[in-house]
């Protein structure tokens, strides 16, 4: 299939190594199970086509890892007289390690936010929280504002900037690891504060209804409407709905959330304009302008609007190296590791993908879109000439890679989209890409960027199709960790592969951050 741009054009700019940011959020890659013995040639299929990794070139050096005892590559003959040995038992992970990985910083933040607010609600119900008696609305909106900030592109970029430039030159590794964990898991505050805000809102409406005799009916009605809209918006973000019914999540969380914001404004204005002691509306605006609720609502609105004000329809060119992948090229370069959201329409069905770029001064950046659902299938079946995107990009955990002196990015399949910029723009990061037949699946543009900017001694490209199976991933990571002198590992894999590597790294005392799947 002909390509919309030439290989030479796609890789003509030099490497602008910058000690910048890297991002990785919600991107999935292939499962990395232990190497299995295969007695005949058979194709190994990952969980989904998107997760089929491919190795750019078989000529690139890789670590010469011994196969597990009693195992041989699939293309090696197995002596008939030798009985097959049972597969070695998988090393059991201690319950303490499993608990540590489960009760991570995300769940700690969530538990903290819920516990703190639940304590406040109980104290308010018992009459032992004087502030809540007069400022229930502020507690509602304060929690909702915090939830919005924890998912706002601009606010998170500022947090990453403070952490990177404030810590990378002097802080010990343990401090950098703690900061990275906080940045990766701020979604726990998002979820906890959103749920707490809804709980405070229910408490406020119950309090208003209890005193309905002195309250105006319009305040009660707008309060009930606001309550219903906020609760629907919060519940629609439940992980099962978000992961398996994405369009349902978007419609309810976004549009009903916007209606909830409008209802909140009406509730704040009416609630602060009606004087319940005198039973009449206040003529002046002094009471409204001095209300904490008003200014919290103002900041909520601002931070909701900021990303949408950067929305643009931009021209793109699409390379389709195989039916499984679309590589989208955009104008202008990007700092390493950022992610972007794209859509065919202005306000619906936005999908996030990792951004690959040679640097800020590069003329292009790229997104790798693996075929999974209807949206990505349409990119291959009907390549667009333009897409909608927010020019304000957002950051995930990989954005913190600039804090560390040396690190490893391990990925499979389309996860190369989240990992590659870090290794292209920083000579202190090692790339491990595991998959099957990468060059034919991902095409010359991606493989060209790899070989142009990453030295052979700084990457391992494992083609499971050519090598007869996937590697012993933990053996690969441990060897590279020691030889490269890494401080941290960033993992981009699907749920099973991520869990296996995170458990193995924790058991080996290796500092690693993996993809979040169940939040």
């Amino acid at each position: 299939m002909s390509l919309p741009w030439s290989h030479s054009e796609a890789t003509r700019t030099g490497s602008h190594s910058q000690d910048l940011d890297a991002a990785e959020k919600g991107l999935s890659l292939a499962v990395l199970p232990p190497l299995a013995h295969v007695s005949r040639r058979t194709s190994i299929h990952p969980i989904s086509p998107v997760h089929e990794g491919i190795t750019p070139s078989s000529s690139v050096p890789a670590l010469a890892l011994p196969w597990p005892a009693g195992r041989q590559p699939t293309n090696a003959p197995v002596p008939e007289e030798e009985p097959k040995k049972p597969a070695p038992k998988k090393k059991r992970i201690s319950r303490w390690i499993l608990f540590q990985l489960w009760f991570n910083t995300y769940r700690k933040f969530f538990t903290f936010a819920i516990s703190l607010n639940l304590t406040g609600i109980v104290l308010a119900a018992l009459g032992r929280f004087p502030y809540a008696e007069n400022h229930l609305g502020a507690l509602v909106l304060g929690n909702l504002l915090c939830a919005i900030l924890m998912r706002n592109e601009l606010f998170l970029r500022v947090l990453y900037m403070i952490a990177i430039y404030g810590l990378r030159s002097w802080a010990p590794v343990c401090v950098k690891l703690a900061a990275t964990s906080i940045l990766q898991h701020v979604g726990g505050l998002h979820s906890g504060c959103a749920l707490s805000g809804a709980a405070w809102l229910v408490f406020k409406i119950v309090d208003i209804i209890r005193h309905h005799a002195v309250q105006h009916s319009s305040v009660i009605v707008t309060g009930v409407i606001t309550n219903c809209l906020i609760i629907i918006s919060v519940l629609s973000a439940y992980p099962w709905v978000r992961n398996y019914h994405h369009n349902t999540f978007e419609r309810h969380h976004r549009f009903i959330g916007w209606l909830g914001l409008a209802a909140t404004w009406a509730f704040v204005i009416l609630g602060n304009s009606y004087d319940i002691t005198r039973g009449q509306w206040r003529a002046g605006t002094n009471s409204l302008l001095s209300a904490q609720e008003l200014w919290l609502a103002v900041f909520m609105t601002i931070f909701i609007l900021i990303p949408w004000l950067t929305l643009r329809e931009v021209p793109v060119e699409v390379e389709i190296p195989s039916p499984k992948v679309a590589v989208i090229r955009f104008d202008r370069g990007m700092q390493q590791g950022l992610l972007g959201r794209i859509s065919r329409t202005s306000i619906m069905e936005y999908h996030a993908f990792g951004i690959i770029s040679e640097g800020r001064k590069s003329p292009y950046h790229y997104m790798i879109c693996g075929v999974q659902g209807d949206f990505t299938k349409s990119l291959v079946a009907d390549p667009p000439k333009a897409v909608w995107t927010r020019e304000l990009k957002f950051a995930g955990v990989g954005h913190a890679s600039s804090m560390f002196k040396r690190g490893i990015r391990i990925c499979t399949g389309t996860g190369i989209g989240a990992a590659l910029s870090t290794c292209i723009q920083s000579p202190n990061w090692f790339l491990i890409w595991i998959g099957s037949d990468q060059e034919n699946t991902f095409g010359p543009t991606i493989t060209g960027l790899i070989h142009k900017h990453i030295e052979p001694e700084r990457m391992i490209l494992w083609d499971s199709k050519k090598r007869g199976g996937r590697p012993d991933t933990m053996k690969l990571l441990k060897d590279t960790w020691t030889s490269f002198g890494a401080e941290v590992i960033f993992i981009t894999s699907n749920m099973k592969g991520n869990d296996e590597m995170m458990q193995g790294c924790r058991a080996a005392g290796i500092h690693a951050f993996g993809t979040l799947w169940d939040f």
Side-chain angles (χ1 to χ4, degrees):
M1 181 176 294
S2 62
L3 306 180
W5 64 85
S6 67
H7 171 59
S8 60
E9 181 187 9
T11 61
R12 68 189 180 201
T13 55
S15 173
H16 300 282
S17 298
Q18 300 175 14
D19 196 12
L20 299 171
D21 318 288
E24 171 188 312
K25 177 176 175 291
L27 300 177
S28 58
L29 304 176
V31 184
L32 302 173
L35 184 62
H37 174 70
V38 185
S39 60
R40 64 181 183 276
R41 191 175 298 276
T42 178
S43 59
I44 301 175
H45 298 284
I47 283 182
S48 73
V50 181
H51 303 316
E52 276 195 284
I54 298 168
T55 301
S57 172
S58 60
S59 64
V60 176
L63 285 181
L65 300 179
W67 286 69
R71 308 215 179 284
Q72 300 177 8
T74 55
N75 58 357
V78 180
E80 295 182 0
E81 65 274 9
E82 289 188 9
K84 295 181 180 179
K85 296 181 181 180
K89 290 184 179 180
K90 185 178 178 182
K91 185 177 180 181
R92 187 172 181 179
I93 304 298
S94 71
R95 292 184 178 180
W96 173 241
I97 288 178
L98 294 177
F99 174 76
Q100 285 180 308
L101 292 174
W102 178 82
F103 194 61
N104 55 17
T105 307
Y106 182 102
R107 288 190 169 91
K108 291 174 183 175
F109 275 148
F110 180 84
T111 303
F112 171 77
I114 292 294
S115 300
L116 183 64
N117 282 279
L118 185 59
T119 302
I121 291 174
V122 171
L123 291 176
L126 296 175
R128 298 188 177 184
F129 191 3
Y131 178 82
E133 294 180 10
N134 300 317
H135 299 284
L136 276 176
L139 291 169
V140 173
L141 297 182
N143 274 284
L144 295 180
L145 175 59
C146 182
I148 291 169
L149 288 176
M150 294 304 109
R151 282 290 183 259
N152 180 265
E153 289 89 336
L154 179 61
F155 184 76
L156 288 179
R157 291 284 293 275
V158 171
L159 287 185
Y160 272 94
M161 186 180 301
I162 293 172
I164 291 169
Y165 293 103
L167 299 177
R168 67 180 177 185
S169 61
W170 65 271
V173 174
C174 61
V175 174
K176 296 176 182 178
L177 293 170
T180 302
S181 182
I182 291 171
L183 291 170
Q184 182 186 25
H185 296 103
V186 290
L189 289 176
H190 169 79
S191 301
C193 289
L195 194 58
S196 298
W200 276 112
L201 186 57
V202 171
F203 185 83
K204 180 174 176 62
I205 297 306
V206 170
D207 183 67
I208 289 177
I209 293 175
R210 284 177 55 219
H211 301 91
H212 66 278
V214 296
Q215 200 51 274
H216 197 277
S217 58
S218 63
V219 177
I220 299 175
V221 170
T222 54
V224 171
I225 293 174
T226 303
N227 206 323
C228 293
L229 294 173
I230 295 297
I231 290 175
I232 292 173
S233 181
V234 169
L235 293 180
S236 67
Y238 189 75
W240 182 83
V241 178
R242 188 174 66 245
N243 294 333
Y244 295 101
H245 302 278
H246 183 78
N247 288 344
T248 300
F249 155 69
E250 281 207 65
R251 292 188 187 100
H252 290 77
H253 195 65
R254 178 176 303 157
F255 299 118
I256 292 184
W258 288 349
L259 289 175
L261 179 63
T264 298
W265 270 102
F267 188 36
V268 168
I269 293 173
L270 292 175
N272 283 277
S273 298
Y274 187 73
D275 188 345
I276 59 174
T277 59
R278 301 169 64 182
Q280 63 183 24
W281 297 99
R282 297 185 178 94
T285 60
N286 291 335
S287 176
L288 179 62
L289 292 176
S290 62
Q292 298 176 23
E293 293 84 351
L294 175 70
W295 296 107
L296 289 170
V298 168
F299 284 112
M300 282 175 57
T301 306
I302 290 174
F303 281 102
I304 288 175
L305 287 177
I306 284 174
W308 292 97
L309 293 176
T310 68
L311 189 65
R312 301 288 185 274
E313 186 177 23
V314 298
V316 296
E317 293 189 14
V318 182
E319 174 187 355
I320 306 175
S322 73
K324 300 175 183 178
V325 170
V327 180
I328 305 178
R329 188 181 79 179
F330 300 77
D331 292 334
R332 79 187 178 99
M334 294 278 179
Q335 57 181 285
Q336 52 111 354
L338 298 179
L339 290 89
R341 294 185 177 99
I342 61 172
S343 176
R344 285 182 178 266
T345 63
S346 58
I347 60 173
M348 271 301 299
E349 197 177 359
Y350 275 86
H351 296 262
F353 300 95
I355 294 174
I356 300 173
S357 179
E358 296 167 288
R360 286 179 172 176
K361 297 181 181 179
S362 174
Y364 307 115
H365 67 272
Y366 307 86
M367 289 184 183
I368 297 177
C369 307
V371 174
Q372 262 187 321
D374 293 339
F375 176 78
T376 48
K377 286 179 182 178
S378 71
L379 296 176
V380 173
D382 180 24
K385 299 294 184 183
V387 296
W388 288 87
T389 186
R390 301 176 191 176
E391 294 194 337
L392 178 60
K393 308 303 180 185
F394 67 98
V397 61
H399 202 56
S401 62
S402 295
M403 277 195 290
F404 299 92
K405 294 178 180 178
R406 293 175 78 81
I408 300 170
R409 289 300 304 256
I410 181 168
C411 61
T412 57
T414 54
I416 191 68
L420 186 53
S421 277
T422 301
C423 300
I424 285 178
Q425 297 186 30
S426 173
N428 299 317
W429 279 80
F430 194 102
L431 174 66
I432 301 177
W433 190 19
I434 302 171
S436 171
D437 197 24
Q438 286 100 321
E439 186 169 5
N440 290 330
T441 300
F442 290 85
T445 299
I446 301 304
T447 58
L449 288 170
I450 291 174
H451 294 300
K452 180 178 180 180
H453 297 287
I454 304 177
E455 305 82 12
E457 61 271 16
R458 200 162 54 86
M459 63 178 168
I460 295 174
L461 308 175
W462 188 283
D463 189 334
S464 59
K465 182 176 181 180
K466 295 179 181 179
R467 295 174 182 268
R470 296 182 181 127
D472 181 338
T473 312
M474 283 313 302
K475 169 69 173 174
L476 197 64
L477 283 175
K478 289 176 182 177
D479 287 350
T480 308
W481 173 269
T482 302
S483 62
F484 193 66
E487 294 180 332
V488 67
I489 296 175
F490 287 104
I491 301 167
T492 310
S493 184
N494 69 1
M495 187 179 294
K496 183 178 179 182
N498 178 80
D499 289 347
E500 288 181 356
M501 286 187 278
M502 286 295 294
Q503 291 168 13
C505 287
R506 181 61 66 94
I510 294 174
H511 309 303
F513 295 91
T515 307
L516 298 181
W517 278 97
D518 54 346
F519 305 111

